[in-house]
Amino acid sequence: MTPIHVVGMGLDGLGGLPAKMQALIRSATLLVGSDRHLRLIPQDNTPRLVLRDFQATFKAIQTHLESTADPQVVILTSGDPLFYGLGRWLLEVFTPDQLTFHPHLSAVQLAFSRLKLPWQDAVIYSAHGRDLAGLVPLWQRGVEKIAIYTDGEATIAAISRLYQALHLPVTYRAWVCQALGSEEEAILPWDLAQPVRELPAIHPVNLVVLLRQPQRLSPREQPVLGLGDDQFFTFGDRPGLMTKREVRVLVLAELTLSGTVETVWDVGAGSGSVAVEIARLAPQATVYAVEKTAIGFQLIERNRKAFGLANLIPIQGAAPQRLSGLPQPDRVFIGGSGAQLLANLEYCWSHLKPAGRLVLAIATLEHQGQVLHWCQTHQISPQVLQVQLSRSVPLGQGHRLHPLNPVTLITLSQG
């Protein structure tokens, strides 16, 4: 029999364990656990060791093993000790042969069962002893189900503040699952967008579950320039795949739109965020948003309708072939082209009106090098703007800067 047994338990204490586990605890020569776990076990003559400092506790356990005949150490933990629990720390100090793990239902299992949601596709994030920054890429990818282990700093209020600061084009339904498995158990629905100044009393032992919702755009007063990222319908599997607000503003400035502009091409338009901004700023112009993917075409049409833009025309097809027959442009924006980048650049440049202007948004060094080499061979002097921006997001009681992906804007002018 292994000398160390790690027993997972719930908030219902000893009564929630099988008879075999109860007998194991009663036969222990040393009982180890946090104050909260030890309080769940009725007092008897078994020596107890409060788990505070890991190093000191593990050293005391080792001493007990060496000095006790037939030792049986029982360590009490929450849920499954090998699931964001004490188990991984124990395995760094003791050999696997010394340890036996007895998992209990985890808070994640209990939470999803209470919410009646399958969770094999959920992403689990532990904020114990760490900040919430790891949630940002999950939200940016639009992960459908997220369970968050909270602590005294990473509370539902902190999660809400971070979510609101990011202005993401993805919404979540949220629940705070409190004291699961105990008489104090409660499931508290939560709106991540609500002000967090006044909070109801929340049990310190809780888990937050987020479930992504179908995207709906909330009506609100729109700025003349620089629409929020969350005001566009976006790709369901890649909600962050769009030209971000700050970069859009710079693109619009580089395009130098004026009242004389009649025709604009947006090549590789994605969800159409840049095309929408252009159509709003230049209502006298016709904006052709060319996108090869069917889902992108549908998103452009949805965004066009959402903003009521009759001068924005979505076109599905691959450039440069699909550009044939379109009216000659005064302005061109190339935001996405992939392997067809140089072919699209060549076609757009050759069809640009005199005194026209072409702007490219480049994400990779390889494409940047290709465009600059193309300019050199065509004896064109480009204007290059390297864009590296960061947005502030909450971090504990302060804020930190979260970087956006760097983009290079290359502007070419006719005449």
Side-chain angles (χ1 to χ4, degrees), residues 261-265 285-288 326-332 353:
V261 171
E262 297 178 345
T263 304
V264 181
W265 293 355
T286 302
V287 182
Y288 296 91
L326 295 182
Q328 192 176 5
D330 301 279
R331 300 288 188 272
V332 175
K353 286 182 182 178

Side-chain angles (χ1 to χ4, degrees), residues 158-368:
I159 294 168
S160 295
R161 282 193 289 268
L162 176 59
Y163 172 82
Q164 293 170 23
L166 293 171
H167 301 288
L168 295 167
V170 58
T171 57
Y172 284 91
R173 188 177 180 187
W175 296 270
V176 182
C177 305
Q178 310 178 74
L180 296 173
S182 76
E183 294 181 355
E184 299 175 86
E185 177 179 309
I187 307 295
L188 172 66
W190 188 269
D191 180 2
L192 288 180
Q194 74 181 24
V196 293
R197 292 185 296 273
E198 296 182 7
L199 294 174
I202 295 177
H203 194 283
V205 180
N206 67 79
L207 179 91
V208 172
V209 173
L210 305 180
L211 178 65
R212 183 175 170 178
Q213 300 297 292
Q215 191 179 9
R216 296 182 179 86
L217 302 185
S218 57
R220 68 187 191 203
E221 186 177 359
Q222 302 292 358
V224 174
L225 173 68
L227 296 165
D229 295 346
D230 57 349
Q231 289 302 289
F232 294 98
F233 291 106
T234 61
F235 296 93
D237 59 339
R238 296 164 295 166
L241 184 62
M242 65 186 304
T243 303
K244 302 300 188 292
R245 174 180 179 270
E246 296 83 353
V247 177
R248 284 199 310 274
V249 169
L250 292 172
V251 167
L252 295 168
E254 291 299 300
L255 286 170
T256 61
L257 300 169
S258 67
T260 61
V261 171
E262 297 178 345
T263 304
V264 181
W265 293 355
D266 182 355
V267 180
S271 60
S273 62
V274 173
V276 165
E277 294 264 23
I278 295 172
R280 295 178 74 240
L281 282 176
Q284 82 289 344
T286 302
V287 182
Y288 296 91
V290 182
E291 170 58 36
K292 67 179 181 180
T293 67
I295 184 61
F297 171 78
Q298 294 168 6
L299 287 171
I300 296 169
E301 178 61 19
R302 292 182 71 186
N303 285 318
R304 183 195 71 78
K305 289 181 178 178
F307 289 94
L309 298 170
N311 63 328
L312 172 56
I313 301 178
I315 297 176
Q316 184 180 356
Q321 294 84 359
R322 196 61 183 85
L323 300 172
S324 177
L326 295 182
Q328 192 176 5
D330 301 279
R331 300 288 188 272
V332 175
F333 172 62
I334 300 178
S337 296
Q340 295 299 310
L341 174 61
L342 292 184
N344 288 341
L345 174 56
E346 186 77 47
Y347 188 95
C348 293
W349 181 253
S350 64
H351 287 75
L352 195 62
K353 286 182 182 178
R357 200 167 174 90
L358 184 153
V359 178
L360 304 100
I362 306 296
T364 69
L365 294 174
E366 289 76 12
H367 280 171
Q368 179 179 315

Side-chain angles (χ1 to χ4, degrees), residues 83 87 101 138 148 210 352 364 379:
F83 186 76
F101 294 96
L138 300 181
I148 308 166
L210 305 180
L352 195 62
T364 69
Q379 297 184 333

Side-chain angles (χ1 to χ4, degrees), residues 3-270:
I4 304 174
H5 292 263
V6 189
V7 177
M9 60 191 307
L11 294 180
D12 48 0
L14 193 63
L17 295 176
K20 182 178 179 180
M21 288 300 100
Q22 295 186 32
L24 181 67
I25 291 172
R26 284 194 292 268
S27 65
T29 59
L30 177 66
L31 195 59
V32 183
S34 67
D35 282 318
R36 178 170 66 85
H37 287 119
L38 291 175
R39 282 198 299 269
L40 295 173
I41 308 301
Q43 285 281 354
D44 58 15
N45 295 325
T46 304
R48 297 186 173 209
L49 177 62
V50 178
L51 178 60
R52 293 193 179 98
D53 179 88
F54 280 10
Q55 185 175 359
T57 300
F58 295 163
K59 186 176 180 180
I61 293 173
Q62 188 64 53
T63 300
H64 180 81
L65 295 176
E66 295 170 353
S67 60
T68 305
D70 298 322
Q72 184 170 292
V73 177
V74 174
I75 303 175
L76 304 175
T77 67
S78 297
D80 185 344
L82 290 173
F83 186 76
Y84 287 114
L86 185 63
R88 67 188 182 101
W89 301 108
L90 290 168
L91 286 167
E92 292 185 4
V93 178
F94 304 99
T95 67
D97 291 341
Q98 293 178 289
L99 295 161
T100 298
F101 294 96
H102 306 276
H104 192 66
L105 287 174
S106 69
V108 172
Q109 290 172 289
L110 290 171
F112 279 98
S113 66
R114 301 295 193 264
L115 296 170
K116 301 177 177 62
L117 293 173
W119 65 284
Q120 70 273 1
D121 54 343
V123 173
I124 317 302
Y125 182 78
S126 175
H128 285 172
R130 68 180 79 173
D131 63 41
L132 293 168
L135 286 176
V136 176
L138 300 181
W139 284 335
Q140 290 174 330
R141 297 204 316 266
V143 171
E144 183 181 2
K145 299 169 188 172
I146 306 173
I148 308 166
Y149 281 99
T150 65
D151 66 9
E153 291 290 329
T155 63
I156 184 60
I159 294 168
S160 295
R161 282 193 289 268
L162 176 59
Y163 172 82
Q164 293 170 23
L166 293 171
H167 301 288
L168 295 167
V170 58
T171 57
Y172 284 91
R173 188 177 180 187
W175 296 270
V176 182
C177 305
Q178 310 178 74
L180 296 173
S182 76
E183 294 181 355
E184 299 175 86
E185 177 179 309
I187 307 295
L188 172 66
W190 188 269
D191 180 2
L192 288 180
Q194 74 181 24
V196 293
R197 292 185 296 273
E198 296 182 7
L199 294 174
I202 295 177
H203 194 283
V205 180
N206 67 79
L207 179 91
V208 172
V209 173
L210 305 180
L211 178 65
R212 183 175 170 178
Q213 300 297 292
Q215 191 179 9
R216 296 182 179 86
L217 302 185
S218 57
R220 68 187 191 203
E221 186 177 359
Q222 302 292 358
V224 174
L225 173 68
L227 296 165
D229 295 346
D230 57 349
Q231 289 302 289
F232 294 98
F233 291 106
T234 61
F235 296 93
D237 59 339
R238 296 164 295 166
L241 184 62
M242 65 186 304
T243 303
K244 302 300 188 292
R245 174 180 179 270
E246 296 83 353
V247 177
R248 284 199 310 274
V249 169
L250 292 172
V251 167
L252 295 168
E254 291 299 300
L255 286 170
T256 61
L257 300 169
S258 67
T260 61
V261 171
E262 297 178 345
T263 304
V264 181
W265 293 355
D266 182 355
V267 180

